[in-house]
Amino acid sequence: MSTIVSRLDITQIFCDVDDFYKQWEGLWQQVPQLPSTTGERRSKSRMCLSEVMTIVIAFHGSSYRTFKDFYTLHVLPGWRGAFPNLVSYTRFVELMPWCLMLLCCFLHTRTGEITGISFIDSTPINVCHNCRAHAHKVFKGLVTWGKNSVGWHFGFKLHLIINDCGELLAFKLTPANVDDRKPVPDMTKDLIGKLFGDRGYVSQKLFEELYERGVELVTKSKKKMKNRLVKLIDKILLRKRAVIESVNDHLKNICQIEHSRHRSPFNFLVNLMAGLTAYTYLPKKPSIDIYPKDLPALPPAIF
């Protein structure tokens, strides 16, 4: 039996997921599930969807690099007592897409508090190595080529908005060639206060649209732009924008939202949603420590 130290409180996750599932169970049986086709017969599994969701989320807090190793070497030998109705690995992979809709809904209940200070950024989600892009078929028609400061990548782009505590506020998945500014209006519908981004979000039209809704977009100036007056507090918080880069690093290297072993778009989405959910349960998230030290010492005029 393999032993690992999980970064997550599995008991707490299961209690939260199971309570959420029970509230949805009545409605869940009446609406089409994903994936669903016309005339499809539903076969009920002996495993509850809340158990499937818990195991999928738990993988993203473990030290295993592949879900197959996690399930066969850790879950099957060691979690029989907690999950007496465990199925084989092959059957579990078949069950994973059926929890996608519920997993998406549950993730939206795990968003953080709107504090008035938000950071926005995007990160590429590669679906394969660039040299194999011409032969890639799993996501054919869904992914595109994109380019950022690092170089070219083939896959999707994950757009994130976090607060100053590192908690997720909004997220959106788009093809890799979508402009960073395009999903911003939809992602900021519930936000207020200041939104800090890099130079890729510079747009007068976008600034005016957000400002009318009570959101002030603050970005660094491009080299050819004229100098403009920026409040000191905004300059300080712009320097803290690297916190969202740390969040992206946690999502990819700790929660493992990116890998090139997907054989189904549905399982890719389950992996992504479960990874984002696992991040919300991390006991320590990247955050900025500005309130206790810097703010009280600054004069009110800079605000």
Side-chain angles (χ1 to χ4, degrees):
M1 174 180 170
S2 175
T3 59
I4 59 171
V5 178
S6 176
R7 300 180 179 92
L8 309 177
D9 185 346
I10 308 302
T11 303
Q12 181 62 46
I13 293 175
F14 178 72
C15 291
D16 293 343
V17 170
D18 196 52
D19 290 344
F20 182 80
Y21 173 72
K22 289 178 179 177
Q23 295 177 4
W24 276 78
E25 191 172 14
L27 178 63
W28 190 252
Q29 300 298 327
Q30 302 173 14
V31 298
Q33 302 179 22
L34 293 177
S36 180
T37 58
T38 304
E40 181 178 19
R41 295 182 61 185
R42 298 182 184 178
S43 56
K44 186 174 179 62
S45 172
R46 68 187 188 210
M47 282 196 72
C48 180
L49 280 181
S50 59
E51 295 177 322
V52 177
M53 291 172 60
T54 302
I55 293 174
V56 172
I57 295 171
F59 161 67
H60 294 275
S62 69
S63 59
Y64 285 98
R65 300 302 298 175
T66 66
F67 182 77
K68 183 175 183 179
D69 286 345
F70 171 71
Y71 192 81
T72 57
L73 301 180
H74 185 73
V75 176
L76 286 177
W79 287 11
R80 288 281 183 185
F83 302 99
N85 296 321
L86 285 176
V87 296
S88 66
Y89 168 74
T90 304
R91 176 56 179 160
F92 191 89
V93 172
E94 294 175 351
L95 294 175
M96 287 171 60
W98 297 93
C99 71
L100 175 58
M101 185 185 297
L102 191 60
L103 194 59
C104 292
C105 297
F106 179 69
L107 176 57
H108 277 85
T109 68
R110 297 289 306 167
T111 53
E113 179 183 358
I114 297 176
T115 62
I117 299 177
S118 309
F119 301 90
I120 187 171
D121 196 16
S122 65
T123 185
I125 304 293
N126 297 326
V127 298
C128 69
H129 194 278
N130 288 353
C131 66
R132 297 195 301 272
H134 68 283
H136 189 80
K137 297 180 180 179
V138 176
F139 297 95
K140 186 176 181 180
L142 300 175
V143 296
T144 57
W145 285 97
K147 188 179 182 181
N148 57 12
S149 57
V150 178
W152 289 93
H153 54 274
F154 184 74
F156 296 97
K157 184 185 289 187
L158 179 64
H159 305 264
L160 289 176
I161 297 180
I162 66 169
N163 60 15
D164 53 296
C165 300
E167 299 171 331
L168 300 181
L169 298 180
F171 55 90
K172 192 166 187 176
L173 187 70
T174 65
N177 63 348
V178 172
D179 191 297
D180 286 349
R181 294 166 289 192
K182 186 175 181 179
V184 175
D186 288 337
M187 297 174 63
T188 55
K189 287 182 178 179
D190 299 324
L191 293 186
I192 58 172
K194 295 180 182 290
L195 178 65
F196 297 88
D198 59 20
R199 294 182 177 91
Y201 295 93
V202 174
S203 170
Q204 183 65 27
K205 180 181 178 181
L206 179 61
F207 174 84
E208 293 175 355
E209 181 180 352
L210 297 182
Y211 194 79
E212 291 178 355
R213 302 201 322 242
V215 179
E216 183 180 352
L217 179 62
V218 183
T219 63
K220 291 184 178 180
S221 301
K222 293 185 178 180
K223 293 181 179 179
K224 295 183 180 180
M225 293 176 62
K226 295 181 180 179
N227 291 333
R228 56 192 174 91
L229 183 63
V230 180
K231 294 181 179 179
L232 179 58
I233 184 62
D234 291 345
K235 288 185 177 181
I236 294 175
L237 290 174
L238 271 176
R239 295 173 184 173
K240 303 288 186 178
R241 199 196 66 82
V243 66
I244 196 169
E245 303 287 354
S246 299
V247 171
N248 289 331
D249 179 73
H250 275 55
L251 289 173
K252 288 187 174 182
N253 297 319
I254 296 180
C255 297
Q256 304 181 55
I257 65 171
E258 180 186 46
H259 67 76
S260 59
R261 301 178 298 274
H262 296 294
R263 297 297 177 263
S264 164
F266 288 109
N267 281 4
F268 161 76
L269 292 173
V270 170
N271 180 81
L272 178 63
M273 295 298 106
L276 292 173
T277 305
Y279 171 80
T280 67
Y281 280 99
L282 289 179
K284 292 184 179 179
K285 302 179 182 67
S287 59
I288 59 175
D289 184 17
I290 189 172
Y291 296 106
K293 302 175 184 177
D294 301 340
L295 290 185
L298 298 176
I302 68 172
F303 294 91

